[in-house]
Amino acid sequence: MAKFQHKNDHHTIPRCYLKNFSDDGKFIYRKLKEKNDYGKENLDLKKPISLKSATVKDNFYTIKKSPEPMVIETVFYDFEVENHYEKLYKKLIGNDSEIIITMEERTRLLMFFLSLHCRTPKQFELFFKNIPKELEHETELIKEEYKAGHIGKTLIEFTKKHEYKVFKIVKLSDGSEFLTSDNPFLIVNEFGHLKNMDFREQFNEENKFLIPIDNKHCLIMTNGNDKNGIPISGKVFYNKIERIDVDCNFAQNINFLTLESAEKLIFGSEKYIKAFFSFIKLN
């Protein structure tokens, strides 16, 4: 018998992440990536949406035939992932010139940020599109198994591939801001090209990850080298987080990648969403 109360509204992007792009921590402004069927571009720019409903999907992670249907939404995301984020986030953006994380904190950070990629509808759909034709008659069964498999197998494999990544925090030193989206985890190759929608590119160890974590900070996860220029992957964990100051040029690059990565929605402050999309129209 299931132990956890059933919840219909599942957040495909956690509120604890989105609230750091909000003006008041309760509501957030959003914009449609493209015009909808009614020609509408600006969605709720005059009336922000509550974080409680910003990225809600009905029963998205429910595993219907499982003895514990809420194992993903409640046991994993609520308790094991999101429950630890606020403390880690405060440490990442703190005023300390150097940040040293423990191995447990490293694991928690990896689980949280890598799950931002695995958990989105856009990534689920990418997997479903790659179901072999000879198995299409079992699509619904495969979808059910993937819901459990994406944390039991996909996320574990993802974490192991990148457990030696170096963490860097960049901070904007001017009036520009970072935006985020309903698909906020950015995977880029050595040329800076977005690879989010290339199947299994999340397992490519050469790729770099970029994740805006609030209006002024962005996390970079990349491969590191020792003082002799030799890669540390597979040899040593580098638990010192570097801080780097950047300007609007870096922000613009991240925001364009965010726009490209988004499925439907862009999130941020009212002021900067308007400024960013006005800039796009001018160009």
Side-chain angles (χ1 to χ4, degrees):
M1 184 176 178
K3 298 178 182 178
F4 294 91
Q5 183 178 357
H6 192 96
K7 297 194 298 185
N8 294 325
D9 295 340
H10 298 177
H11 294 87
T12 58
I13 299 298
R15 285 176 289 175
C16 61
Y17 168 80
L18 271 186
K19 77 174 185 178
N20 297 316
F21 294 87
S22 162
D23 292 329
D24 61 4
K26 297 179 181 179
F27 294 86
I28 194 166
Y29 288 90
R30 57 182 179 161
K31 187 185 186 303
L32 288 168
K33 179 178 179 179
E34 299 173 350
K35 292 182 179 179
N36 63 14
D37 293 339
Y38 304 100
K40 192 173 183 179
E41 294 181 294
N42 297 316
L43 188 62
D44 288 343
L45 285 182
K46 293 182 179 179
K47 183 181 179 183
I49 190 172
S50 169
L51 290 170
K52 293 181 180 180
S53 55
T55 60
V56 164
K57 295 281 186 181
D58 181 51
N59 282 296
F60 188 75
Y61 302 115
T62 302
I63 305 176
K64 298 174 184 177
K65 296 183 180 180
S66 170
E68 183 45 78
M70 290 289 102
V71 65
I72 298 178
E73 174 69 7
T74 301
V75 180
F76 185 70
Y77 283 135
D78 281 358
F79 293 169
E80 295 296 333
V81 178
E82 297 169 25
N83 191 37
H84 301 270
Y85 182 63
E86 185 171 358
K87 182 179 178 180
L88 293 169
Y89 165 75
K90 288 179 178 178
K91 188 167 186 176
L92 291 178
I93 67 163
N95 294 321
D96 297 337
S97 57
E98 291 187 2
I99 319 170
I100 305 297
I101 56 172
T102 66
M103 286 303 296
E104 181 182 355
E105 288 172 330
R106 165 182 276 276
T107 300
R108 294 289 182 189
L109 285 169
L110 283 168
M111 286 175 63
F112 183 85
F113 288 115
L114 300 187
S115 71
L116 281 183
H117 175 75
C118 295
R119 70 188 291 172
T120 66
K122 194 169 185 179
Q123 291 304 317
F124 270 52
E125 187 61 30
L126 178 62
F127 174 83
F128 299 150
K129 284 181 178 179
N130 283 276
I131 295 175
K133 288 187 176 181
E134 59 269 24
L135 297 177
E136 286 181 349
H137 64 288
E138 297 183 4
T139 295
E140 292 306 311
L141 176 61
I142 293 172
K143 285 183 177 182
E144 281 286 286
E145 291 180 346
Y146 180 70
K147 284 183 179 182
H150 94 281
I151 59 170
K153 296 179 181 178
T154 303
L155 184 57
I156 290 175
E157 182 184 353
F158 195 8
T159 303
K160 285 183 177 179
K161 283 287 184 181
H162 303 290
E163 60 183 343
Y164 289 92
K165 282 280 198 286
V166 172
F167 295 176
K168 300 179 181 180
I169 292 289
V170 300
K171 180 180 179 181
L172 291 172
S173 58
D174 54 27
S176 57
E177 295 182 11
F178 293 116
L179 301 173
T180 191
S181 79
D182 52 6
N183 199 49
F185 190 93
L186 309 173
I187 302 174
V188 298
N189 64 12
E190 60 181 316
F191 304 108
H193 298 151
L194 196 67
K195 306 298 288 183
N196 285 36
M197 293 306 291
D198 291 353
F199 192 49
R200 293 189 64 81
E201 272 297 309
Q202 70 265 39
F203 301 116
N204 185 342
E205 294 180 47
E206 298 303 313
N207 287 332
K208 178 166 64 175
F209 306 141
L210 306 165
I211 312 102
I213 60 174
D214 62 27
N215 294 336
K216 290 294 183 180
H217 298 87
C218 180
L219 173 66
I220 299 175
M221 298 172 62
T222 187
N223 295 324
N225 298 321
D226 64 18
K227 61 183 180 180
N228 297 314
I230 299 173
I232 64 172
S233 182
K235 300 173 185 176
V236 62
F237 295 104
Y238 187 74
N239 284 345
K240 176 183 174 182
I241 298 180
E242 300 177 31
R243 293 192 185 279
I244 306 167
D245 286 337
V246 294
D247 60 18
C248 60
N249 292 321
F250 185 88
Q252 289 288 69
N253 181 50
I254 297 299
N255 288 338
F256 278 117
L257 289 173
T258 295
L259 179 61
E260 184 181 349
S261 173
E263 181 178 17
K264 295 178 181 177
L265 295 169
I266 309 297
F267 296 101
S269 70
E270 178 185 23
K271 178 181 177 181
Y272 204 76
I273 285 182
K274 288 181 176 179
F276 179 73
F277 284 96
S278 294
F279 171 78
I280 290 177
K281 287 182 179 179
L282 290 173
N283 288 272

